[in-house]
Amino acid sequence: MSRIVQVYYGSGKGKTSAAVGQCIRAASSGQSVIIIQFLKGKDAEEFSFLSRLEPDIKLFRFEREDESYDDLLESQKKEERQNILNGFNFAKKVIDTGECDVLVLDEILGLIDLEIISIEDVIHLIQLRDDYSKLVLTGRSLPAELEPYMDIVSKIDLEKDTTI
């Protein structure tokens, strides 16, 4: 089985929704799916309905705070950083053990922006194993160093938002 690495990035809304769409498509064809969300805070509640799709789609969050990482006090960030790294290590384990067919790492690119993980960490994660069918990454920015490792790149930009 060949591996596909896909990324949704950009300033626009809908990156997570697009990734979830991939998950629903995969699950409906009998594939096992795991989603690991990072940096969502209370925003993650909009996807809590996914828990109803278990065991076909499993959703994991390792962060404990309700607020977004950026809004935390330094003392809270230190603890939350460890929770985030636990989530990243779980992602490595999922890939290494071949635990699912499709793995979504929602907002993992934001962890690079915050210097919680490095570009090399993500490259290592991508290279861990090559017999899963799909790895989907999301975030606001895509470092140029990662592009050679991507098979499908979708940029989602905001052109207009009258709700601000």
Side-chain angles (χ1 to χ4, degrees):
M1 185 183 298
S2 66
R3 169 183 72 197
I4 295 173
V5 181
Q6 182 170 9
V7 65
Y8 293 101
Y9 82 101
S11 60
K13 298 214 176 280
K15 297 176 291 287
T16 299
S17 298
V20 167
Q22 295 287 328
C23 295
I24 292 170
R25 179 181 298 144
S28 69
S29 67
Q31 294 180 300
S32 59
V33 178
I34 292 177
I35 301 171
I36 303 173
Q37 287 189 317
F38 301 99
L39 304 176
K40 289 295 193 180
K42 286 189 182 203
D43 289 345
E45 292 309 309
E46 68 183 280
F47 293 102
S48 61
F49 78 92
L50 288 175
S51 62
R52 291 186 233 155
L53 300 177
E54 287 196 14
D56 299 311
I57 298 176
K58 296 178 183 159
L59 176 64
F60 295 92
R61 295 185 195 110
F62 288 80
E63 293 162 77
R64 298 289 168 242
E65 297 291 340
D66 288 336
E67 292 86 31
S68 172
Y69 184 83
D70 289 334
D71 299 331
L72 298 176
L73 301 171
E74 283 307 312
S75 57
Q76 292 172 301
K77 281 185 180 179
K78 184 177 180 191
E79 185 175 334
E80 200 66 288
R81 184 181 206 92
Q82 187 56 54
N83 294 334
I84 290 167
L85 288 172
N86 290 343
F88 182 73
N89 289 329
F90 177 68
K92 288 194 289 192
K93 178 182 163 281
V94 167
I95 290 174
D96 199 38
T97 59
E99 196 172 320
C100 66
D101 299 310
V102 177
L103 175 61
V104 172
L105 301 177
D106 190 22
E107 285 299 332
I108 192 165
L109 299 176
L111 301 183
I112 297 170
D113 296 337
L114 293 169
E115 299 180 350
I116 295 174
I117 61 172
S118 68
I119 291 170
E120 292 74 27
D121 289 331
V122 175
I123 292 170
H124 177 70
L125 182 87
I126 292 168
Q127 294 177 330
L128 270 177
R129 204 180 160 97
D130 63 5
D131 63 352
Y132 54 85
S133 61
K134 189 174 261 191
L135 175 63
V136 181
L137 314 175
T138 72
R140 292 183 77 72
S141 59
L142 177 62
E145 299 92 331
L146 286 180
E147 283 195 43
Y149 299 92
M150 304 297 149
D151 300 301
I152 302 169
V153 176
S154 298
K155 185 173 184 182
I156 300 175
D157 280 328
L158 181 66
E159 287 191 19
K160 181 179 181 180
D161 185 349
T162 61
T163 64
I164 299 175

